[in-house]
Structures are given as structure tokens and as C-alpha cells.
């Protein structure tokens, strides 16, 4: 499809833990953005929503090792996310 660029605005919602944010993509769309997992190197994180219907695995690198990916899946499964619905999108960075 056609390449699209979005510029969401995010703010820290829970200032006690800094783990819950609010993200706004356009003025009418705003949702909770929870940091449910973060590796020690701050390279890979998992973002989820409170009802556990959505999760995003984000990385500073274009690839995640198989071992790390399995560790992430195990953790978020334990948190109640359905990992069978995750779609692994190959990352091709310019």
C-alpha cells in the first residue's frame, strides 16, 4: 500500500510509574497506552491497552532474536494477551 506517516502526540498519564501514557493520533482518537514490558537495555518494549485486546511489540532494531521474541510472548501471555492474534510484520527500514 501507499506509505503513510503519522505524528501521534503522547503524554504521560500515570506520573507515579510513567508506565501509562495517552496517545492521540488525530484530535478525535485518543486511547490508553500501557508499557507492559520493557527490556533492561531499553531496546524492546511491549505496548498494550487495559482490556488486553491489542498489543504492539516495538524495537529500536529491525530484528528481534527468536529467543527474545519467545520471552516476550511468554510474558504477555501471562498478562492475559492473546498472542495468537499478533501479526509479525517484517521491518524494512530505509
Amino acid at each position: 500500500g501507499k506509505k503513510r506517516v503519522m505524528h501521534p502526540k503522547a503524554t504521560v498519564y500515570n506520573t507515579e510509574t510513567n508506565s501509562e501514557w495517552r496517545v492521540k493520533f488525530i484530535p478525535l482518537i485518543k486511547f490508553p497506552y500501557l508499557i507492559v514490558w520493557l527490556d533492561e537495555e531499553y531496546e524492546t518494549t511491549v505496548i498494550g491497552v487495559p482490556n488486553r485486546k491489542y498489543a504492539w511489540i516495538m524495537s529500536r532494531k529491525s530484528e528481534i532474536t527468536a529467543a527474545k521474541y519467545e520471552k516476550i510472548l511468554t510474558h504477555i501471555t501471562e498478562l492475559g494477551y492473546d498472542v495468537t492474534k499478533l501479526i509479525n510484520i517484517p521491518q524494512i527500514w530505509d
Side-chain angles (χ1 to χ4, degrees), residues 4-60:
R4 295 185 327 177
V5 176
M6 299 181 84
H7 301 282
K9 303 275 187 210
T11 56
V12 177
Y13 182 76
N14 182 333
T15 56
E16 185 176 322
T17 65
N18 292 330
S19 65
E20 183 176 352
W21 293 44
R22 293 291 192 259
V23 177
K24 184 171 28 172
F25 282 90
I26 59 175
L28 301 176
I29 300 173
K30 193 174 185 179
F31 63 89
Y33 180 99
L34 305 174
I35 300 168
V36 298
W37 184 84
L38 177 64
D39 68 8
E40 293 178 8
E41 298 83 23
Y42 284 76
E43 288 184 352
T44 310
T45 189
V46 178
I47 306 305
V49 295
N51 66 8
R52 293 176 175 83
K53 287 188 177 186
Y54 300 98
W56 295 267
I57 299 172
M58 299 180 183
S59 178
R60 293 181 189 266

Side-chain angles (χ1 to χ4, degrees), residues 3 61-63 89-94:
K3 183 176 180 177
K61 297 180 179 179
S62 61
E63 293 185 23
I89 308 288
Q91 300 298 302
I92 302 169
W93 297 359
D94 296 331

